[in-house]
Amino acid sequence: MSRYSKIRDEILSGKSDKNISEEDMRFFLSKIGAVHRRTKGSHIQYSIDNIPELIHIQPQNGKMKPYQVKGIRNIVNKYRLGEGGVEDGIQ
């Protein structure tokens, strides 16, 4: 199983929202097409083409905040992001 698949499964399962690392989330976001738009203090903003919602992260001590992981999970599910896996160039 690829790194991307492991992270995606972890995010979508909802079982370990408080244990997702900032590094893993940034990797995941880049793989689903999220582009870093802005950083203001500790707040980091991403956007994805053709998706009206913005993604905001504010890691704390190298880990993601559970409510932000949940918000990202909702966006991924709503727009079916990153489902293509290797066929779409996501590894």
Side-chain angles (χ1 to χ4, degrees):
M1 181 181 273
S2 70
R3 177 181 178 200
Y4 168 78
S5 296
K6 288 178 187 176
I7 296 168
R8 186 175 193 276
D9 289 349
E10 198 174 328
I11 290 168
L12 294 181
S13 76
K15 294 179 182 177
S16 58
D17 287 355
K18 64 182 176 183
N19 293 318
I20 307 286
S21 74
E22 173 185 3
E23 179 183 338
D24 284 348
M25 183 58 77
R26 287 177 181 256
F27 174 80
F28 176 76
L29 290 173
S30 72
K31 291 296 186 180
I32 63 170
V35 177
H36 177 258
R37 292 291 177 204
R38 174 180 164 175
T39 300
K40 188 169 185 176
S42 61
H43 296 264
I44 305 162
Q45 184 181 81
Y46 289 87
S47 66
I48 301 173
D49 286 345
N50 301 318
I51 306 241
E53 288 100 337
L54 294 174
I55 297 171
H56 299 273
I57 65 171
Q58 185 185 17
Q60 190 171 32
N61 299 322
K63 297 286 185 182
M64 295 298 302
K65 293 183 178 181
Y67 78 92
Q68 292 174 335
V69 175
K70 182 179 178 182
I72 292 167
R73 178 172 47 253
N74 290 339
I75 290 171
V76 168
N77 287 329
K78 181 177 180 179
Y79 296 101
R80 301 175 55 125
L81 299 173
E83 291 184 347
V86 175
E87 298 80 20
D88 288 341
I90 298 172
Q91 297 183 18

CSV table of all heavy atoms in Angstrom, one decimal, residues 27-86:
chain,number,residue,atom,x,y,z
A,27,PHE,N,1.2,16.4,2.5
A,27,PHE,CA,1.4,15.4,1.4
A,27,PHE,C,0.1,15.1,0.8
A,27,PHE,O,0.0,15.1,-0.5
A,27,PHE,CB,2.2,14.2,1.9
A,27,PHE,CG,2.3,13.1,0.9
A,27,PHE,CD1,3.3,13.2,0.0
A,27,PHE,CD2,1.5,12.0,0.9
A,27,PHE,CE1,3.5,12.1,-0.9
A,27,PHE,CE2,1.6,11.0,0.0
A,27,PHE,CZ,2.7,11.1,-0.9
A,28,PHE,N,-0.9,14.7,1.6
A,28,PHE,CA,-2.2,14.3,1.1
A,28,PHE,C,-2.8,15.4,0.3
A,28,PHE,O,-3.4,15.2,-0.8
A,28,PHE,CB,-3.1,13.9,2.3
A,28,PHE,CG,-4.5,13.5,1.9
A,28,PHE,CD1,-4.8,12.3,1.2
A,28,PHE,CD2,-5.5,14.4,2.1
A,28,PHE,CE1,-6.1,12.0,0.8
A,28,PHE,CE2,-6.8,14.1,1.7
A,28,PHE,CZ,-7.1,12.9,1.1
A,29,LEU,N,-2.8,16.6,0.8
A,29,LEU,CA,-3.4,17.8,0.2
A,29,LEU,C,-2.8,18.0,-1.2
A,29,LEU,O,-3.5,18.3,-2.2
A,29,LEU,CB,-3.4,19.0,1.0
A,29,LEU,CG,-4.3,19.0,2.3
A,29,LEU,CD1,-4.0,20.2,3.1
A,29,LEU,CD2,-5.7,18.9,1.9
A,30,SER,N,-1.5,17.9,-1.3
A,30,SER,CA,-0.8,18.1,-2.6
A,30,SER,C,-1.2,17.0,-3.6
A,30,SER,O,-1.4,17.3,-4.8
A,30,SER,CB,0.7,18.1,-2.4
A,30,SER,OG,1.2,16.8,-2.1
A,31,LYS,N,-1.4,15.8,-3.1
A,31,LYS,CA,-1.8,14.7,-4.0
A,31,LYS,C,-3.2,14.9,-4.5
A,31,LYS,O,-3.5,14.4,-5.6
A,31,LYS,CB,-1.6,13.4,-3.3
A,31,LYS,CG,-0.2,13.0,-3.1
A,31,LYS,CD,0.5,12.8,-4.4
A,31,LYS,CE,2.0,12.3,-4.2
A,31,LYS,NZ,2.7,12.2,-5.5
A,32,ILE,N,-4.1,15.5,-3.8
A,32,ILE,CA,-5.5,15.7,-4.3
A,32,ILE,C,-5.7,17.0,-5.0
A,32,ILE,O,-6.8,17.3,-5.4
A,32,ILE,CB,-6.5,15.5,-3.1
A,32,ILE,CG1,-6.4,16.6,-2.1
A,32,ILE,CG2,-6.5,14.1,-2.5
A,32,ILE,CD1,-7.5,16.7,-1.1
A,33,GLY,N,-4.6,17.7,-5.3
A,33,GLY,CA,-4.6,18.9,-6.1
A,33,GLY,C,-4.8,20.2,-5.3
A,33,GLY,O,-5.1,21.2,-5.9
A,34,ALA,N,-4.7,20.2,-4.0
A,34,ALA,CA,-4.8,21.4,-3.2
A,34,ALA,C,-3.5,22.2,-3.4
A,34,ALA,O,-2.4,21.7,-3.4
A,34,ALA,CB,-5.0,21.1,-1.8
A,35,VAL,N,-3.7,23.5,-3.6
A,35,VAL,CA,-2.6,24.5,-3.8
A,35,VAL,C,-2.6,25.4,-2.6
A,35,VAL,O,-3.6,26.0,-2.2
A,35,VAL,CB,-2.9,25.2,-5.1
A,35,VAL,CG1,-1.8,26.3,-5.3
A,35,VAL,CG2,-2.9,24.3,-6.3
A,36,HIS,N,-1.4,25.6,-2.1
A,36,HIS,CA,-1.2,26.5,-1.0
A,36,HIS,C,-1.5,27.9,-1.5
A,36,HIS,O,-0.9,28.4,-2.5
A,36,HIS,CB,0.3,26.4,-0.5
A,36,HIS,CG,0.6,27.4,0.6
A,36,HIS,ND1,1.3,28.5,0.4
A,36,HIS,CD2,0.2,27.4,1.9
A,36,HIS,CE1,1.4,29.2,1.5
A,36,HIS,NE2,0.8,28.5,2.5
A,37,ARG,N,-2.4,28.6,-0.8
A,37,ARG,CA,-2.7,30.0,-1.3
A,37,ARG,C,-2.2,31.1,-0.3
A,37,ARG,O,-1.9,32.1,-0.8
A,37,ARG,CB,-4.3,30.1,-1.3
A,37,ARG,CG,-4.9,29.3,-2.4
A,37,ARG,CD,-4.5,29.8,-3.8
A,37,ARG,NE,-5.1,29.0,-4.8
A,37,ARG,CZ,-4.6,28.9,-6.0
A,37,ARG,NH1,-3.6,29.6,-6.4
A,37,ARG,NH2,-5.1,28.1,-6.9
A,38,ARG,N,-2.2,30.8,0.9
A,38,ARG,CA,-1.9,31.8,1.9
A,38,ARG,C,-1.5,31.3,3.2
A,38,ARG,O,-2.0,30.3,3.7
A,38,ARG,CB,-3.1,32.7,2.0
A,38,ARG,CG,-3.0,33.8,3.0
A,38,ARG,CD,-4.3,34.6,3.0
A,38,ARG,NE,-4.4,35.4,4.2
A,38,ARG,CZ,-5.3,36.3,4.4
A,38,ARG,NH1,-6.3,36.5,3.6
A,38,ARG,NH2,-5.3,37.0,5.5
A,39,THR,N,-0.6,32.0,3.9
A,39,THR,CA,-0.2,31.7,5.3
A,39,THR,C,-0.3,33.0,6.0
A,39,THR,O,0.3,34.0,5.6
A,39,THR,CB,1.2,31.1,5.4
A,39,THR,OG1,1.2,29.9,4.6
A,39,THR,CG2,1.5,30.8,6.9
A,40,LYS,N,-1.0,33.0,7.1
A,40,LYS,CA,-1.1,34.1,8.0
A,40,LYS,C,-1.0,33.6,9.4
A,40,LYS,O,-1.9,33.0,9.9
A,40,LYS,CB,-2.4,34.9,7.8
A,40,LYS,CG,-2.5,36.2,8.5
A,40,LYS,CD,-3.7,37.0,8.1
A,40,LYS,CE,-3.6,38.4,8.8
A,40,LYS,NZ,-4.7,39.3,8.3
A,41,GLY,N,0.2,33.9,10.0
A,41,GLY,CA,0.5,33.4,11.3
A,41,GLY,C,0.6,31.9,11.2
A,41,GLY,O,1.3,31.3,10.4
A,42,SER,N,-0.2,31.2,12.0
A,42,SER,CA,-0.2,29.7,12.0
A,42,SER,C,-1.3,29.1,11.1
A,42,SER,O,-1.4,27.9,10.9
A,42,SER,CB,-0.3,29.1,13.4
A,42,SER,OG,-1.6,29.6,13.9
A,43,HIS,N,-2.1,30.0,10.5
A,43,HIS,CA,-3.2,29.5,9.6
A,43,HIS,C,-2.7,29.4,8.2
A,43,HIS,O,-2.2,30.3,7.6
A,43,HIS,CB,-4.4,30.6,9.7
A,43,HIS,CG,-5.0,30.7,11.0
A,43,HIS,ND1,-6.1,30.0,11.4
A,43,HIS,CD2,-4.6,31.4,12.1
A,43,HIS,CE1,-6.4,30.3,12.6
A,43,HIS,NE2,-5.6,31.2,13.1
A,44,ILE,N,-3.0,28.2,7.6
A,44,ILE,CA,-2.5,27.9,6.3
A,44,ILE,C,-3.8,27.6,5.4
A,44,ILE,O,-4.6,26.9,5.9
A,44,ILE,CB,-1.6,26.7,6.2
A,44,ILE,CG1,-0.4,27.0,7.2
A,44,ILE,CG2,-1.1,26.5,4.8
A,44,ILE,CD1,0.4,25.8,7.6
A,45,GLN,N,-3.9,28.3,4.3
A,45,GLN,CA,-5.1,28.1,3.4
A,45,GLN,C,-4.7,27.5,2.1
A,45,GLN,O,-3.7,27.8,1.5
A,45,GLN,CB,-5.6,29.5,3.2
A,45,GLN,CG,-6.9,29.6,2.4
A,45,GLN,CD,-7.4,31.0,2.2
A,45,GLN,OE1,-6.9,31.6,1.3
A,45,GLN,NE2,-8.3,31.5,3.1
A,46,TYR,N,-5.5,26.5,1.7
A,46,TYR,CA,-5.4,25.8,0.4
A,46,TYR,C,-6.7,25.9,-0.4
A,46,TYR,O,-7.8,26.1,0.2
A,46,TYR,CB,-5.2,24.3,0.7
A,46,TYR,CG,-3.8,24.0,1.3
A,46,TYR,CD1,-3.6,24.0,2.6
A,46,TYR,CD2,-2.7,23.6,0.4
A,46,TYR,CE1,-2.4,23.6,3.2
A,46,TYR,CE2,-1.5,23.3,1.0
A,46,TYR,CZ,-1.3,23.3,2.3
A,46,TYR,OH,-0.1,23.0,2.9
A,47,SER,N,-6.5,25.8,-1.7
A,47,SER,CA,-7.7,25.7,-2.5
A,47,SER,C,-7.5,24.7,-3.6
A,47,SER,O,-6.4,24.2,-3.8
A,47,SER,CB,-8.0,27.1,-3.2
A,47,SER,OG,-6.9,27.4,-4.1
A,48,ILE,N,-8.6,24.2,-4.1
A,48,ILE,CA,-8.6,23.2,-5.2
A,48,ILE,C,-9.4,23.7,-6.3
A,48,ILE,O,-10.6,24.2,-6.1
A,48,ILE,CB,-9.1,21.8,-4.7
A,48,ILE,CG1,-8.3,21.3,-3.5
A,48,ILE,CG2,-9.2,20.8,-5.8
A,48,ILE,CD1,-8.9,20.1,-2.8
A,49,ASP,N,-8.9,23.6,-7.5
A,49,ASP,CA,-9.7,24.1,-8.7
A,49,ASP,C,-11.1,23.5,-8.7
A,49,ASP,O,-11.2,22.3,-8.5
A,49,ASP,CB,-8.9,23.7,-10.0
A,49,ASP,CG,-7.7,24.6,-10.2
A,49,ASP,OD1,-7.6,25.7,-9.6
A,49,ASP,OD2,-6.9,24.2,-11.1
A,50,ASN,N,-12.1,24.3,-9.1
A,50,ASN,CA,-13.4,23.9,-9.2
A,50,ASN,C,-14.1,23.4,-7.9
A,50,ASN,O,-15.2,22.8,-8.0
A,50,ASN,CB,-13.6,22.8,-10.3
A,50,ASN,CG,-13.1,23.2,-11.6
A,50,ASN,OD1,-13.3,24.4,-12.0
A,50,ASN,ND2,-12.3,22.4,-12.3
A,51,ILE,N,-13.5,23.7,-6.8
A,51,ILE,CA,-14.1,23.4,-5.5
A,51,ILE,C,-14.3,24.7,-4.7
A,51,ILE,O,-13.3,25.4,-4.5
A,51,ILE,CB,-13.3,22.4,-4.7
A,51,ILE,CG1,-13.0,21.2,-5.5
A,51,ILE,CG2,-13.9,22.2,-3.3
A,51,ILE,CD1,-13.5,19.9,-5.1
A,52,PRO,N,-15.5,25.1,-4.4
A,52,PRO,CA,-15.7,26.5,-3.8
A,52,PRO,C,-15.2,26.6,-2.4
A,52,PRO,O,-14.8,27.7,-1.9
A,52,PRO,CB,-17.2,26.7,-3.8
A,52,PRO,CG,-17.8,25.3,-3.9
A,52,PRO,CD,-16.8,24.5,-4.7
A,53,GLU,N,-15.1,25.5,-1.6
A,53,GLU,CA,-14.7,25.5,-0.2
A,53,GLU,C,-13.1,25.7,-0.2
A,53,GLU,O,-12.4,25.1,-1.0
A,53,GLU,CB,-15.0,24.3,0.6
A,53,GLU,CG,-16.5,24.2,0.9
A,53,GLU,CD,-17.2,23.2,0.0
A,53,GLU,OE1,-16.8,23.0,-1.2
A,53,GLU,OE2,-18.3,22.8,0.4
A,54,LEU,N,-12.7,26.5,0.7
A,54,LEU,CA,-11.3,26.6,1.0
A,54,LEU,C,-10.9,25.6,2.1
A,54,LEU,O,-11.8,25.3,3.0
A,54,LEU,CB,-10.9,28.0,1.4
A,54,LEU,CG,-11.0,29.1,0.4
A,54,LEU,CD1,-10.8,30.5,0.9
A,54,LEU,CD2,-10.1,28.8,-0.8
A,55,ILE,N,-9.7,25.2,2.1
A,55,ILE,CA,-9.2,24.3,3.2
A,55,ILE,C,-8.3,25.1,4.1
A,55,ILE,O,-7.3,25.7,3.6
A,55,ILE,CB,-8.5,23.0,2.6
A,55,ILE,CG1,-9.5,22.2,1.7
A,55,ILE,CG2,-7.9,22.2,3.7
A,55,ILE,CD1,-8.8,21.1,0.9
A,56,HIS,N,-8.6,25.0,5.4
A,56,HIS,CA,-7.8,25.7,6.3
A,56,HIS,C,-7.2,24.7,7.3
A,56,HIS,O,-7.9,23.9,7.8
A,56,HIS,CB,-8.6,26.7,7.2
A,56,HIS,CG,-9.2,27.8,6.3
A,56,HIS,ND1,-8.6,29.0,6.0
A,56,HIS,CD2,-10.4,27.8,5.7
A,56,HIS,CE1,-9.4,29.7,5.3
A,56,HIS,NE2,-10.5,29.0,5.1
A,57,ILE,N,-5.9,24.9,7.5
A,57,ILE,CA,-5.2,24.0,8.5
A,57,ILE,C,-4.5,24.9,9.5
A,57,ILE,O,-4.0,26.0,9.1
A,57,ILE,CB,-4.3,22.9,7.9
A,57,ILE,CG1,-3.1,23.5,7.2
A,57,ILE,CG2,-5.1,22.0,7.0
A,57,ILE,CD1,-2.1,22.4,6.8
A,58,GLN,N,-4.4,24.5,10.7
A,58,GLN,CA,-3.6,25.2,11.7
A,58,GLN,C,-3.0,24.1,12.6
A,58,GLN,O,-3.5,23.9,13.7
A,58,GLN,CB,-4.5,26.1,12.5
A,58,GLN,CG,-3.8,27.0,13.5
A,58,GLN,CD,-4.7,27.8,14.3
A,58,GLN,OE1,-5.9,27.5,14.4
A,58,GLN,NE2,-4.2,28.8,15.0
A,59,PRO,N,-1.9,23.5,12.2
A,59,PRO,CA,-1.3,22.4,13.0
A,59,PRO,C,-0.8,23.0,14.3
A,59,PRO,O,-0.5,24.1,14.5
A,59,PRO,CB,-0.1,22.0,12.1
A,59,PRO,CG,-0.3,22.6,10.8
A,59,PRO,CD,-1.2,23.8,10.9
A,60,GLN,N,-0.8,22.0,15.3
A,60,GLN,CA,-0.3,22.4,16.6
A,60,GLN,C,0.6,21.3,17.0
A,60,GLN,O,0.2,20.1,17.1
A,60,GLN,CB,-1.5,22.5,17.5
A,60,GLN,CG,-1.2,23.0,18.9
A,60,GLN,CD,-2.5,23.3,19.7
A,60,GLN,OE1,-3.5,22.6,19.5
A,60,GLN,NE2,-2.4,24.3,20.5
A,61,ASN,N,1.8,21.6,17.3
A,61,ASN,CA,2.9,20.6,17.8
A,61,ASN,C,3.0,19.5,16.7
A,61,ASN,O,3.2,18.4,17.1
A,61,ASN,CB,2.5,20.1,19.1
A,61,ASN,CG,2.5,21.1,20.2
A,61,ASN,OD1,3.3,22.0,20.2
A,61,ASN,ND2,1.5,21.0,21.1
A,62,GLY,N,3.0,19.9,15.4
A,62,GLY,CA,3.2,18.9,14.4
A,62,GLY,C,2.0,18.0,14.1
A,62,GLY,O,2.1,17.2,13.2
A,63,LYS,N,0.9,18.2,14.7
A,63,LYS,CA,-0.3,17.4,14.5
A,63,LYS,C,-1.5,18.3,14.0
A,63,LYS,O,-1.5,19.4,14.4
A,63,LYS,CB,-0.7,16.7,15.8
A,63,LYS,CG,0.3,15.7,16.3
A,63,LYS,CD,0.3,14.4,15.5
A,63,LYS,CE,1.2,13.4,16.1
A,63,LYS,NZ,1.3,12.2,15.3
A,64,MET,N,-2.3,17.6,13.3
A,64,MET,CA,-3.5,18.3,12.9
A,64,MET,C,-4.6,18.4,14.0
A,64,MET,O,-4.6,17.5,14.8
A,64,MET,CB,-4.1,17.6,11.7
A,64,MET,CG,-3.3,17.6,10.4
A,64,MET,SD,-2.9,19.2,9.8
A,64,MET,CE,-4.6,19.8,9.5
A,65,LYS,N,-5.4,19.4,13.9
A,65,LYS,CA,-6.5,19.5,14.9
A,65,LYS,C,-7.6,18.6,14.3
A,65,LYS,O,-8.0,18.6,13.1
A,65,LYS,CB,-7.0,21.0,15.0
A,65,LYS,CG,-5.9,21.8,15.6
A,65,LYS,CD,-6.4,23.3,15.8
A,65,LYS,CE,-5.4,24.1,16.5
A,65,LYS,NZ,-5.8,25.5,16.7
A,66,PRO,N,-8.2,17.8,15.2
A,66,PRO,CA,-9.3,16.9,14.8
A,66,PRO,C,-10.4,17.5,14.0
A,66,PRO,O,-10.9,16.9,13.0
A,66,PRO,CB,-9.8,16.2,16.1
A,66,PRO,CG,-8.6,16.4,17.0
A,66,PRO,CD,-7.9,17.7,16.6
A,67,TYR,N,-10.9,18.7,14.4
A,67,TYR,CA,-12.0,19.3,13.6
A,67,TYR,C,-11.6,19.7,12.2
A,67,TYR,O,-12.4,19.7,11.3
A,67,TYR,CB,-12.6,20.4,14.4
A,67,TYR,CG,-11.8,21.7,14.3
A,67,TYR,CD1,-12.1,22.7,13.4
A,67,TYR,CD2,-10.8,22.0,15.3
A,67,TYR,CE1,-11.4,23.9,13.3
A,67,TYR,CE2,-10.1,23.2,15.2
A,67,TYR,CZ,-10.4,24.1,14.2
A,67,TYR,OH,-9.7,25.3,14.1
A,68,GLN,N,-10.3,20.0,12.0
A,68,GLN,CA,-9.9,20.3,10.7
A,68,GLN,C,-9.7,19.1,9.8
A,68,GLN,O,-10.0,19.1,8.6
A,68,GLN,CB,-8.6,21.1,10.8
A,68,GLN,CG,-8.8,22.5,11.4
A,68,GLN,CD,-7.5,23.3,11.6
A,68,GLN,OE1,-6.4,22.7,11.7
A,68,GLN,NE2,-7.6,24.6,11.6
A,69,VAL,N,-9.3,18.0,10.4
A,69,VAL,CA,-9.2,16.7,9.7
A,69,VAL,C,-10.7,16.3,9.2
A,69,VAL,O,-10.9,15.9,8.1
A,69,VAL,CB,-8.6,15.6,10.5
A,69,VAL,CG1,-8.7,14.2,9.8
A,69,VAL,CG2,-7.2,15.9,10.8
A,70,LYS,N,-11.6,16.5,10.1
A,70,LYS,CA,-13.0,16.2,9.8
A,70,LYS,C,-13.5,17.0,8.7
A,70,LYS,O,-14.2,16.5,7.8
A,70,LYS,CB,-13.9,16.4,11.0
A,70,LYS,CG,-15.3,16.0,10.8
A,70,LYS,CD,-16.2,16.2,12.0
A,70,LYS,CE,-17.6,15.9,11.8
A,70,LYS,NZ,-18.5,16.1,12.9
A,71,GLY,N,-13.2,18.3,8.7
A,71,GLY,CA,-13.6,19.2,7.6
A,71,GLY,C,-13.0,18.8,6.3
A,71,GLY,O,-13.7,18.8,5.2
A,72,ILE,N,-11.7,18.4,6.3
A,72,ILE,CA,-11.1,17.9,5.0
A,72,ILE,C,-11.7,16.6,4.6
A,72,ILE,O,-12.0,16.4,3.4
A,72,ILE,CB,-9.6,17.8,5.3
A,72,ILE,CG1,-8.9,19.2,5.5
A,72,ILE,CG2,-8.9,17.1,4.1
A,72,ILE,CD1,-7.5,19.2,6.0
A,73,ARG,N,-12.0,15.7,5.5
A,73,ARG,CA,-12.7,14.5,5.2
A,73,ARG,C,-14.0,14.8,4.5
A,73,ARG,O,-14.4,14.1,3.5
A,73,ARG,CB,-12.9,13.6,6.4
A,73,ARG,CG,-13.6,12.3,6.2
A,73,ARG,CD,-13.7,11.3,7.3
A,73,ARG,NE,-14.0,12.0,8.6
A,73,ARG,CZ,-13.2,12.2,9.6
A,73,ARG,NH1,-11.9,11.9,9.5
A,73,ARG,NH2,-13.6,12.8,10.7
A,74,ASN,N,-14.8,15.7,5.0
A,74,ASN,CA,-16.1,16.0,4.4
A,74,ASN,C,-15.9,16.6,3.0
A,74,ASN,O,-16.7,16.2,2.1
A,74,ASN,CB,-16.8,17.1,5.3
A,74,ASN,CG,-17.3,16.5,6.6
A,74,ASN,OD1,-17.4,15.3,6.8
A,74,ASN,ND2,-17.5,17.4,7.6
A,75,ILE,N,-14.9,17.4,2.8
A,75,ILE,CA,-14.7,17.9,1.4
A,75,ILE,C,-14.3,16.8,0.5
A,75,ILE,O,-14.7,16.7,-0.7
A,75,ILE,CB,-13.6,19.0,1.4
A,75,ILE,CG1,-14.2,20.3,2.1
A,75,ILE,CG2,-13.1,19.4,0.0
A,75,ILE,CD1,-13.2,21.4,2.4
A,76,VAL,N,-13.4,15.9,0.9
A,76,VAL,CA,-12.9,14.8,0.1
A,76,VAL,C,-14.1,13.9,-0.3
A,76,VAL,O,-14.2,13.5,-1.4
A,76,VAL,CB,-11.8,13.9,0.9
A,76,VAL,CG1,-11.6,12.6,0.2
A,76,VAL,CG2,-10.5,14.8,1.0
A,77,ASN,N,-15.0,13.6,0.7
A,77,ASN,CA,-16.1,12.7,0.4
A,77,ASN,C,-17.1,13.5,-0.5
A,77,ASN,O,-17.7,12.9,-1.4
A,77,ASN,CB,-16.8,12.3,1.7
A,77,ASN,CG,-16.0,11.3,2.5
A,77,ASN,OD1,-15.3,10.4,1.8
A,77,ASN,ND2,-16.1,11.3,3.8
A,78,LYS,N,-17.4,14.7,-0.2
A,78,LYS,CA,-18.4,15.5,-1.0
A,78,LYS,C,-18.0,15.5,-2.4
A,78,LYS,O,-18.9,15.4,-3.3
A,78,LYS,CB,-18.5,16.9,-0.4
A,78,LYS,CG,-19.5,17.8,-1.1
A,78,LYS,CD,-19.6,19.1,-0.4
A,78,LYS,CE,-20.6,20.0,-1.0
A,78,LYS,NZ,-20.7,21.3,-0.3
A,79,TYR,N,-16.8,15.8,-2.7
A,79,TYR,CA,-16.3,16.0,-4.1
A,79,TYR,C,-15.6,14.7,-4.7
A,79,TYR,O,-15.0,14.8,-5.8
A,79,TYR,CB,-15.4,17.2,-4.2
A,79,TYR,CG,-16.2,18.5,-3.9
A,79,TYR,CD1,-16.1,19.1,-2.7
A,79,TYR,CD2,-17.1,19.0,-4.8
A,79,TYR,CE1,-16.8,20.2,-2.3
A,79,TYR,CE2,-17.8,20.2,-4.5
A,79,TYR,CZ,-17.6,20.7,-3.3
A,79,TYR,OH,-18.3,21.9,-2.9
A,80,ARG,N,-15.6,13.7,-3.9
A,80,ARG,CA,-14.9,12.4,-4.3
A,80,ARG,C,-13.5,12.6,-4.8
A,80,ARG,O,-13.1,12.2,-5.9
A,80,ARG,CB,-15.8,11.7,-5.4
A,80,ARG,CG,-17.2,11.4,-4.8
A,80,ARG,CD,-18.1,10.9,-5.9
A,80,ARG,NE,-17.4,9.7,-6.5
A,80,ARG,CZ,-18.0,8.5,-6.6
A,80,ARG,NH1,-19.2,8.3,-6.2
A,80,ARG,NH2,-17.3,7.5,-7.1
A,81,LEU,N,-12.7,13.3,-4.0
A,81,LEU,CA,-11.4,13.6,-4.4
A,81,LEU,C,-10.4,12.5,-4.1
A,81,LEU,O,-10.5,11.7,-3.1
A,81,LEU,CB,-10.9,14.8,-3.5
A,81,LEU,CG,-11.7,16.1,-3.7
A,81,LEU,CD1,-11.2,17.2,-2.7
A,81,LEU,CD2,-11.5,16.6,-5.1
A,82,GLY,N,-9.5,12.3,-5.0
A,82,GLY,CA,-8.4,11.3,-4.9
A,82,GLY,C,-8.8,9.9,-4.9
A,82,GLY,O,-8.1,9.0,-4.5
A,83,GLU,N,-10.0,9.6,-5.6
A,83,GLU,CA,-10.4,8.2,-5.6
A,83,GLU,C,-9.8,7.4,-6.7
A,83,GLU,O,-9.8,6.2,-6.7
A,83,GLU,CB,-11.9,8.2,-5.9
A,83,GLU,CG,-12.7,8.7,-4.7
A,83,GLU,CD,-14.2,8.5,-4.9
A,83,GLU,OE1,-14.7,8.3,-6.0
A,83,GLU,OE2,-14.9,8.7,-3.9
A,84,GLY,N,-9.1,8.1,-7.7
A,84,GLY,CA,-8.5,7.4,-8.8
A,84,GLY,C,-7.3,6.6,-8.5
A,84,GLY,O,-6.9,5.7,-9.2
A,85,GLY,N,-6.6,7.0,-7.4
A,85,GLY,CA,-5.4,6.3,-7.0
A,85,GLY,C,-4.3,6.3,-8.0
A,85,GLY,O,-4.1,7.4,-8.7
A,86,VAL,N,-3.6,5.3,-8.2
A,86,VAL,CA,-2.5,5.2,-9.1
A,86,VAL,C,-2.9,5.6,-10.6
A,86,VAL,O,-2.2,6.2,-11.3
A,86,VAL,CB,-1.8,3.9,-9.1
A,86,VAL,CG1,-0.7,3.8,-10.1
A,86,VAL,CG2,-1.3,3.6,-7.7
